[in-house]
Amino acid sequence: MINWNNLPPEMKIECIKRMDLRTKYNLHVTSRSEQNLVKSHMFALKDVHAFEDGFADYTLYFREQNDQEHFVAIPKTNVKKGKYIMDFFRNIATMSIHFNDSTNVPTIIAKDYIINDDDFGTQTIFSSKEKLSRNTQYCEDLDQQFHETHYSRL
Amino acid sequence: MSVEPEVPIVQVEEVRENPVLYKIISSDNHVFTISEHAVKLSKTLWDLITNLGLTAENALDNPIPVENVNGKNMETIVQFCERHKYDEEEPEYTNYIREFVLPEWDRQLLSIDNEELFQLILATNYLDIQKLMDYCCRVIGDMAKDKTPEELRIIYGIPTDAEDDALERSASDSPGPSG
């Protein structure tokens, strides 16, 4: 029977390119061979931003090469400050952390990010254009006004 | 008062309806006729036609055998190429996944069972038809949407790591080819 396994790796990767991040992730955990394939595709994210709210959640923002955006909310009750985010990005090839001078909010910017088994273990993923525009603005200019507006919507 | 010039108006569609035709024979000996504009979507077939020196005069007398593609897949491919032979280039998408919508006609054409779809994408790859390749990859990717890893294993026929290991062990235990 002809199925996914009969496709050569380059064709599988063409299919993977057209999957959203969550689907890629689900494929990646089906078996070691698919994991290697998804990782070899290196769906390098253009942008990865992590920012911390003063009282509620961490929010992670991803933008894939195809400009698909994702937001991941991490309940703060589940994580120790900073540690989880550093674990989350442990496979990132390049990473830099910036602190906003006025709010002291960390922003992690990363490229060549590779997803890990437990990245989305207990989190929820959501996307919306509204959140995107707000987060893009946020990433460009970490102002307190946006910070409050954004988190009031979570 | 203006007078309409008596110039015959040649409809573009009329010109399009008189194309050069080529014959293709599938692996199971089904014969298909395809227009020049349509066959150009397949880089493999068009290279073959060019290399064989087929022309409008001798094209129908020299059918092209395609041994890697069966009649069922070839029928789908010919339908697709005829449908899209005059298409303009796809626009640049800023967000392919969100903005690209598979046209309804193509969605219907590719509404086939999974095994047929995987056979079709292999045939498409062999014939090097980029647009159909894009569409097939999109449909295969969509198959996986909102599925759990366990469901994906079933849909795609992906063996578990344990099954993979067992296969590797049995392959290494079996005697190699003699002689």
Side-chain angles (χ1 to χ4, degrees):
Chain A
M1 178 169 174
I2 305 289
N3 58 28
W4 175 256
N5 298 315
N6 297 92
L7 301 187
E10 62 272 17
M11 287 173 67
K12 286 184 176 181
I13 286 173
E14 285 303 311
C15 296
I16 290 169
K17 280 181 187 171
R18 290 161 177 80
M19 295 174 181
D20 60 30
L21 190 66
R22 189 57 182 259
T23 306
K24 285 172 186 168
Y25 173 72
N26 284 339
L27 178 64
H28 145 281
V29 297
T30 55
S31 71
R32 276 198 306 270
S33 54
E34 301 312 315
Q35 183 178 63
N36 291 336
L37 191 71
V38 174
K39 281 188 174 180
S40 75
H41 161 43
M42 288 280 292
F43 46 98
L45 301 172
K46 281 183 178 173
D47 299 304
V48 179
H49 300 273
F51 31 92
E52 180 193 0
D53 181 73
F55 55 92
D57 291 339
Y58 291 106
T59 297
L60 305 176
Y61 163 70
F62 304 87
R63 188 154 60 102
E64 295 184 70
Q65 289 293 350
N66 57 21
D67 285 326
Q68 176 92 344
E69 298 89 12
H70 306 271
F71 301 87
V72 183
I74 306 172
K76 189 173 266 187
T77 52
N78 289 353
V79 296
K80 287 186 177 179
K81 184 178 178 181
K83 179 181 179 305
Y84 186 89
I85 289 180
M86 296 310 292
D87 287 348
F88 193 94
F89 292 113
R90 66 182 180 273
N91 273 346
I92 292 170
T94 59
M95 182 170 73
S96 60
I97 302 176
H98 301 279
F99 287 89
N100 180 278
D101 290 339
S102 60
T103 62
N104 206 30
V105 173
T107 299
I108 300 176
I109 302 172
K111 291 179 179 172
D112 298 333
Y113 170 69
I114 305 172
I115 272 186
N116 292 294
D117 281 348
D118 51 353
D119 281 348
F120 299 128
T122 58
Q123 295 84 53
T124 54
I125 298 180
F126 54 93
S127 294
S128 77
K129 278 186 179 174
E130 185 181 13
K131 282 184 166 54
L132 164 69
S133 60
R134 291 183 182 281
N135 277 282
T136 303
Q137 181 188 344
Y138 180 86
C139 296
E140 289 167 356
D141 178 15
L142 292 168
D143 66 285
Q144 187 63 35
Q145 183 184 357
F146 165 73
H147 197 218
E148 289 170 0
T149 308
H150 173 75
Y151 282 103
S152 68
R153 290 175 172 273
L154 286 177
Chain B
M1 180 178 164
S2 66
V3 179
E4 290 291 324
E6 291 184 8
V7 176
I9 298 170
V10 180
Q11 296 290 339
V12 173
E13 285 305 318
E14 286 178 25
V15 175
R16 289 176 175 181
E17 290 311 314
N18 295 299
V20 178
L21 296 174
Y22 296 90
K23 271 187 181 170
I24 297 170
I25 303 179
S26 65
S27 61
D28 45 0
N29 293 319
H30 288 91
V31 180
F32 297 87
T33 306
I34 186 168
S35 67
E36 184 173 33
H37 280 98
V39 82
K40 280 181 176 175
L41 293 184
S42 164
K43 190 169 183 308
T44 304
L45 286 177
W46 187 243
D47 284 350
L48 204 57
I49 286 166
T50 310
N51 291 336
L52 290 171
L54 298 184
T55 61
E57 289 73 36
N58 65 9
L60 287 174
D61 298 330
N62 293 282
I64 305 159
V66 180
E67 294 183 359
N68 293 5
V69 181
N70 65 28
K72 193 165 188 175
N73 287 328
M74 188 60 85
E75 186 180 356
T76 305
I77 286 167
V78 169
Q79 281 182 43
F80 180 91
C81 291
E82 292 292 351
R83 173 81 179 190
H84 292 283
K85 60 187 174 183
Y86 297 127
D87 280 4
E88 292 177 359
E89 277 194 23
E90 294 270 344
E92 291 270 330
Y93 296 106
T94 55
N95 184 334
Y96 177 83
I97 291 179
R98 186 185 297 153
E99 293 173 11
F100 173 75
V101 178
L102 192 65
E104 184 54 32
W105 187 91
D106 298 279
R107 188 168 289 285
Q108 291 285 332
L109 184 74
L110 299 177
S111 293
I112 50 183
D113 72 38
N114 290 2
E115 183 171 6
E116 285 178 23
L117 186 60
F118 284 117
Q119 283 180 351
L120 179 64
I121 196 172
L122 288 169
T124 303
N125 185 48
Y126 172 71
L127 293 177
D128 199 353
I129 305 169
Q130 191 55 50
K131 193 178 193 108
L132 183 54
M133 187 77 181
D134 284 346
Y135 286 12
C136 286
C137 287
R138 175 61 185 246
V139 172
I140 288 175
D142 284 352
M143 258 186 218
K145 198 167 172 57
D146 299 327
K147 299 292 188 299
T148 65
E150 195 48 51
E151 289 170 330
L152 281 180
R153 275 200 199 96
I154 295 165
I155 292 167
Y156 281 175
I158 299 169
T160 62
D161 288 342
E163 289 168 340
D164 249 350
D165 291 343
L167 275 174
E168 275 181 25
R169 273 199 301 276
S170 67
S172 61
D173 290 346
S174 63
S178 57

